[in-house]
Amino acid sequence: MRIIKVNDDRTLKKFLKLPSNLYRENPYWVPPLISDLKKNLSPQNPFFKHAEAVFFLAEGANEKTGRIAAIVDRNYIEFHREDVGFFGLFECSNNAIVARGLLDSARSWLREKGLKGMIGPINLSTNDECGILIDGFDLPPCLMMPYNPSYYTSLLEGYGLRKAKDLLAYTVDIPEEIPEKIKRVAERLIKSDIRVRPINMKEFDREVMLFKELYNSAWELNWGFVPITDEEIEWTAKRMKPLIIPNLALFAEVEGRPVGLMLILPDYNQVLKHLNGHIGITGIFKFLFYSRKIDTLRLMILGVKKEYRNYGIDALLYLKSLEGMKNKRYKRVELSWVLEDNIAVHRIAHHFGAKVYKRYRIYEMDI
């Protein structure tokens, strides 16, 4: 077994396809679109205007060996004033020697960059997929959430990585009736100057910038947060636009001023699992067919500006989102991810009868 840098098309192809070999017999893993992942790791991604990364591949007789990325996000370092880098895109066979070789490579590269700590898995930014699954292996992941074998915990902790933060995923059946407490709060706000409206798709570019402003304001005190740039939000929005249901992408306004937002997307992982990582002509027909069968939503983003958090605006957003779920094919919602110490969101989730059904963990260590 040897660890090599990805530096040409051959090694990049192996890096991208390694998970397909590793998870071939796993019924829960959902293969991402290879073309999307390749584009995301390319210089086209505006993340790399303030970041750099190197990709390592473990080669050996066993094609199910391993891979890892080492990432320096200068915006994260500047915002948090911490000399830390990330490791991410970690995939590995159940072999502690291979895992150690990959983690050593990432750690050494980050140390060469003058950094003193390593956090991960982060793929590639804290605004992207984070953590490894540590509980809830018997169900497939929701859209843009990670999945991995249970032995990853042993590989990472055996290397000396320690818990930094746990992230939770809730699940809840879409209620036929709105919980009474939520209804009371929301009805009170409806009579006030607070309004909730759907995204205006005809003014999509303007709405995206409004989204960025609210996102950066509402999340700025969250653990691990890093502000998203104009180019990054435009890059992400362009890719997500076809997935958006306007009545499930909501803005809250007070006297016309934006103060909160909610974004819920259909779980397109239920489509991707049928595409095997590729979308050609056949894949387009499969996409259209299976899109009509999606029965799960993911509540990805819920945020309210700090000065308006005690008004019950989140309850009004929930009420309006339920109205947007009237399509009866949707049966449940995943709320993810939620920081383990975000008491306010945990309280709201419990009001709706939501239960934690998956747990993810981000690790850290000195280097």
Side-chain angles (χ1 to χ4, degrees):
M1 189 273 296
R2 64 189 183 121
I3 308 294
I4 63 169
K5 279 186 181 180
V6 172
N7 56 13
D8 57 28
D9 289 342
R10 181 190 72 85
T11 50
L12 177 60
K13 184 176 181 180
K14 292 186 71 171
F15 185 93
L16 296 173
K17 291 192 172 182
L18 185 138
S20 297
N21 298 323
L22 188 67
Y23 293 94
R24 187 172 292 152
E25 306 301 324
N26 190 305
Y28 303 115
W29 180 70
V30 178
L33 290 175
I34 295 294
S35 58
D36 273 5
L37 181 56
K38 184 176 181 180
K39 189 174 182 181
N40 205 40
L41 301 186
S42 76
Q44 296 177 56
N45 187 341
F47 171 73
F48 291 111
K49 291 197 172 182
H50 58 83
E52 58 182 312
V54 62
F55 310 110
F56 295 101
L57 188 66
E59 286 194 325
N62 182 355
E63 63 180 3
K64 301 178 180 179
T65 309
R67 74 179 196 187
I68 200 169
I71 305 140
V72 177
D73 182 353
R74 292 184 293 276
N75 282 5
Y76 181 95
I77 293 170
E78 181 180 345
F79 187 81
H80 289 275
R81 300 173 185 257
E82 296 177 356
D83 292 327
V84 299
F86 303 146
F87 75 94
L89 300 171
F90 176 78
E91 301 286 1
C92 191
S93 55
N94 193 5
N95 187 316
I97 295 174
V98 175
R100 178 169 292 275
L102 291 166
L103 289 160
D104 277 347
S105 298
R107 188 180 180 187
S108 296
W109 186 81
L110 292 173
R111 192 187 297 121
E112 289 172 4
K113 296 294 179 179
L115 302 179
K116 299 176 181 177
M118 180 169 75
I119 301 175
I122 305 291
N123 308 332
L124 300 160
S125 157
T126 50
N127 292 315
D128 297 313
E129 288 184 3
C130 297
I132 62 162
L133 183 66
I134 64 169
D135 187 30
F137 299 97
D138 57 348
L139 288 169
C142 224
L143 180 70
M144 300 181 206
M145 293 294 286
Y147 184 86
N148 53 264
S150 58
Y151 62 78
Y152 276 24
T153 305
S154 298
L155 293 181
L156 297 182
E157 293 181 3
Y159 184 74
L161 286 152
R162 60 187 181 274
K163 172 187 169 182
K165 189 72 68 173
D166 277 1
L167 316 173
L168 308 182
Y170 283 88
T171 185
V172 63
D173 292 337
I174 296 174
E176 293 184 7
E177 295 186 6
I178 301 166
E180 195 59 37
K181 185 171 183 179
I182 298 294
K183 185 188 293 186
R184 286 199 309 270
V185 173
E187 288 176 347
R188 174 174 55 82
L189 292 182
I190 289 172
K191 299 174 184 178
S192 70
D193 292 326
I194 299 172
R195 295 288 179 268
V196 170
R197 65 169 180 85
I199 187 172
N200 182 351
M201 299 300 284
K202 293 181 179 179
E203 297 287 342
F204 187 73
D205 292 343
R206 182 182 64 83
E207 297 282 67
V208 165
M209 288 299 107
L210 178 57
F211 180 97
K212 190 210 83 166
E213 174 197 333
L214 286 167
Y215 180 83
N216 284 344
S217 173
W219 272 267
E220 65 177 343
L221 299 180
N222 275 18
W223 181 91
F225 168 78
V226 62
I228 193 166
T229 67
D230 287 356
E231 289 175 292
E232 286 175 301
I233 194 65
E234 288 170 355
W235 164 273
T236 302
K238 182 178 179 180
R239 299 165 75 189
M240 292 177 65
K241 185 177 181 180
L243 312 182
I244 292 173
I245 298 173
N247 286 336
L248 295 178
L250 304 173
F251 291 101
E253 298 177 338
V254 175
E255 297 179 346
R257 299 188 309 275
V259 299
L261 73 162
M262 173 184 277
L263 176 63
I264 301 173
L265 292 179
D267 179 19
Y268 278 93
N269 268 9
Q270 295 184 8
V271 178
L272 291 177
K273 70 180 181 180
H274 298 286
L275 301 184
N276 198 30
H278 301 280
I279 185 163
I281 295 176
T282 303
I284 291 173
F285 285 107
K286 285 183 177 180
F287 186 92
L288 294 173
F289 177 78
Y290 287 107
S291 293
R292 296 195 295 268
K293 296 180 176 294
I294 296 173
D295 64 1
T296 300
L297 300 164
R298 181 185 168 205
L299 198 170
M300 296 181 62
I301 294 174
L302 171 64
V304 178
K305 284 187 173 183
K306 182 179 178 181
E307 59 268 34
Y308 291 96
R309 284 180 189 162
N310 295 322
Y311 284 61
I313 291 172
D314 44 10
L316 187 55
L317 284 164
Y318 275 113
L319 177 65
K320 293 298 183 180
S321 72
L322 287 173
E323 294 174 2
M325 296 177 196
K326 288 181 179 179
N327 186 330
K328 297 301 181 183
R329 95 172 171 244
Y330 298 125
K331 297 178 180 178
R332 73 180 188 100
V333 180
E334 174 175 307
L335 169 58
S336 61
W337 44 263
V338 182
L339 290 167
E340 61 181 334
D341 49 5
N342 190 336
I343 304 302
V345 174
H346 295 313
R347 188 178 297 119
I348 294 169
H350 290 306
H351 280 317
F352 276 91
K355 305 293 183 184
V356 174
Y357 84 122
K358 288 180 180 285
R359 183 180 291 264
Y360 304 83
R361 180 161 293 169
I362 298 174
Y363 289 92
E364 64 183 359
M365 73 182 310
D366 297 331
I367 60 174

